[in-house]
Amino acid sequence: MDRILINGGNPLQGKVRINGAKNSALKLMAAALLSDEPLVLTNMPDLADTRFMAHLLAHLGVTVTRENGTQMVLHAKALAEPFAPYDLVRKMRATFNVLGPLLARCGFARVSLPGGCAIGARPVDLHLKALEAMGAQIELEEGYALAKAPKGLHGAQISFPFVSVGATEHAMLAAVLAKGETVLDNAAREPEITDLANCLNTMGAKIEGAGSASITITGVSSLGGTNHRVVPDRIEAGTYALAVAATGGDVCIENCTYAHLGALWDRMRAIGVSVESQQEGKSVRITQHNDRCAAADLETQAYPGFPTDLQAQFMAVMCRAEGASIIRETIFENRFMHAPELSRLGADITVHGREAVVRGVPALHGAPVMATDLRASVSLVIAGLAAQGQTEVNRIYHLDRGFEGLERKLSALGADIKRVAVAT
Ligand code: EPZ
């Protein structure tokens, strides 16, 4: 198993290019199941998660080819048996989103329920209720969802009791081929939802209101192929921005969308970091010349609020801030697993349920650490970059799920960071 070694203390300087969004790419890949014509995705990240999804889609009969590094062609000309086995679903929750498209295209499907996850229970009840409202008959048996829609799916009025990104996307993926009109109320508004809707619309779907809390989908009888550019990864962009806040420096983050990170920019300005939109909002310059940032409180919220996927990285910055910060996690019930690991570097963090109090210390000191999920892992990298001495980050396969070329990109910015293979 590889690990990452960081000698902290270098400010970050230069330019970094952001990839397409993992969390959009995965659902766009599932959309390929809805058409027998090719879907060409450009600006595609190359990550363990996108490879895993490609594996599942290949099992379902989709031809998946990667071209020129960042282009992926998915062609679901004829599907195999609509069966997604446990081994191809359990590692990653987004794979469950194949259920709706399979049901819409084949009339039945058998998909393993996704496994538990380190950041909380993460059930799929809202996904299943949405599909049932559209006429699916679903039974849960031995860890599988067995779904059928003998008369096809039909439009429905679906009001989500709380905002769910995955359930909104799943309902949209199923409703595009359903008979009649579907209205999703209290829908998620994340840029990845709008990206999926834009792609489906160019395939011939009729979706209105994506990006707002009410989405209307008028079903069509079939969808064609298209060519779609994946939206930039706002979480990757925000992670580099927070790394600069932690280490100090001056970095231009390119190929991102400034407008997608308003809540982060608000918090970064509150802690004394300069944030400047450039190139008509397609790049952002982050400048931080103080030894320590100021402290600020934070609460995660669904978009356009502060993303839960940047909470761990913000906490890493707060570890060395001047003053105390209260961080409240409202999306997932167990997303402070990074706190005890950050404490190993000398951070002063107390967790009470969904709230963490971080009292900034003048210096962090390198230590061996490991993390249990993707964003937690990268928060340890950020803390390591800001710490004195050497930090060793273990279990870095989590990082490979969501950050392409992390060490390469950070090294190019001046960080002393390298990956070391460890004999097993
Ligand atoms: C997506 O997860 C992202 N994953 C997550 O990113 C992200 O943290 C999350 O949205 C919130 O922004 C992908 O897009 C692949 P939800 P998702 O449904 O769709 C509960 C990362 O690090 N819930 O919006 O699974 C759920 O438990 C990952 O890249 C139900 O109770 O998130 C959570 O508390 C981690 N029943 C809340 O809703 C359901 O049926 C929001 O989850 C569905 C969700």
Side-chain angles (χ1 to χ4, degrees):
M1 234 188 273
D2 294 356
R3 60 190 168 172
I4 281 179
L5 295 181
I6 303 164
N7 287 303
N10 294 3
L12 300 179
Q13 310 277 354
K15 292 177 182 173
V16 62
R17 190 178 161 80
I18 298 308
N19 287 74
K22 165 184 83 88
N23 287 345
S24 202
L26 295 170
K27 323 304 166 55
L28 291 165
M29 289 173 76
L33 289 166
L34 292 165
S35 169
D36 60 5
E37 291 179 20
L39 171 62
V40 181
L41 297 175
T42 59
N43 200 33
M44 270 293 282
D46 186 10
L47 300 164
D49 277 12
T50 48
R51 287 174 183 219
F52 191 71
M53 186 65 154
H55 219 78
L56 169 64
L57 292 174
H59 172 87
L60 293 168
V62 184
T63 310
V64 185
T65 27
R66 207 171 240 287
E67 295 169 350
N68 316 322
T70 58
Q71 177 163 305
M72 186 182 269
V73 182
L74 302 110
H75 194 180
K77 194 169 170 51
L79 290 180
E81 194 195 348
F83 169 50
Y86 175 69
D87 270 350
L88 295 180
V89 171
R90 71 184 160 88
K91 278 200 220 161
M92 201 180 76
R93 196 175 152 80
T95 47
F96 191 66
N97 279 31
V98 300
L99 177 61
L102 286 177
L103 200 52
R105 179 119 177 241
C106 309
F108 67 101
R110 183 164 167 243
V111 176
S112 171
L113 295 165
C117 174
I119 61 176
R122 304 183 77 189
V124 286
D125 52 328
L126 300 186
H127 297 233
L128 299 177
K129 278 186 190 139
L131 295 176
E132 282 171 342
M134 288 183 235
Q137 298 163 8
I138 304 178
E139 283 173 37
L140 300 183
E141 232 173 64
E142 296 170 354
Y144 280 84
L146 305 173
K148 53 184 179 183
K151 294 182 194 149
L153 295 174
H154 56 72
Q157 287 278 337
I158 299 166
S159 185
F160 293 110
F162 51 87
V163 173
S164 162
V165 174
T168 302
E169 290 163 335
H170 206 160
M172 215 156 72
L173 283 165
V176 284
L177 289 181
K179 276 194 204 95
E181 187 178 273
T182 298
V183 178
L184 307 178
D185 279 325
N186 201 18
R189 292 180 280 165
E190 270 66 6
E192 293 74 27
I193 306 274
T194 311
D195 198 33
L196 178 61
N198 289 344
C199 176
L200 289 167
N201 280 344
T202 60
M203 291 168 75
K206 290 189 181 155
I207 305 174
E208 283 173 15
S212 77
S214 181
I215 302 178
T216 304
I217 304 139
T218 309
V220 295
S221 55
S222 68
L223 294 178
T226 195
N227 195 314
H228 179 82
R229 184 177 167 82
V230 181
V231 71
D233 195 323
R234 63 196 166 99
I235 304 302
E236 189 193 15
T239 299
Y240 284 100
L242 286 165
V244 182
T247 62
D250 185 347
V251 169
C252 196
I253 301 173
E254 298 182 330
N255 189 37
C256 66
T257 306
Y258 174 83
H260 289 169
L261 281 162
L264 172 67
W265 308 141
D266 170 71
R267 292 296 76 195
M268 289 192 59
R269 291 187 175 116
I271 63 175
V273 178
S274 155
V275 178
E276 192 191 323
S277 166
Q278 295 187 330
Q279 292 180 321
E280 293 168 352
K282 292 197 181 95
S283 78
V284 185
R285 182 175 171 196
I286 307 291
T287 326
Q288 212 287 90
H289 292 307
N290 303 320
D291 174 42
R292 296 169 70 188
C293 292
D297 296 340
L298 172 76
E299 180 170 285
T300 62
Q301 286 292 346
Y303 190 83
F306 191 98
T308 172
D309 290 348
L310 287 172
Q311 177 259 106
Q313 298 90 314
F314 188 83
M315 185 183 284
V317 178
M318 288 299 95
C319 292
R320 275 196 68 238
E322 287 199 57
S325 156
I326 298 173
I327 298 182
R328 196 169 149 70
E329 171 60 53
T330 72
I331 309 292
F332 293 109
E333 74 273 23
N334 189 20
R335 210 175 192 183
F336 285 136
M337 309 283 270
H338 40 284
E341 295 299 306
L342 289 169
S343 300
R344 289 174 58 77
L345 301 175
D348 179 352
I349 306 171
T350 323
V351 175
H352 307 277
R354 287 186 174 224
E355 219 165 73
V357 180
V358 187
R359 292 182 182 80
V361 294
L364 297 173
H365 299 278
V369 287
M370 66 177 179
T372 44
D373 79 76
L374 168 60
R375 312 304 177 185
S377 303
V378 86
S379 79
L380 299 176
V381 171
I382 291 178
L385 293 172
Q388 294 171 1
Q390 191 172 80
T391 296
E392 176 187 307
V393 185
N394 293 288
R395 291 206 190 163
I396 58 167
Y397 52 85
H398 291 296
L399 286 170
D400 296 331
R401 293 186 58 182
F403 293 96
E404 189 179 330
L406 181 72
E407 319 88 81
R408 174 177 48 80
K409 289 184 180 182
L410 285 170
S411 296
L413 294 175
D416 181 347
I417 178 169
K418 65 179 174 196
R419 181 181 289 241
V420 191
V422 182
T424 45

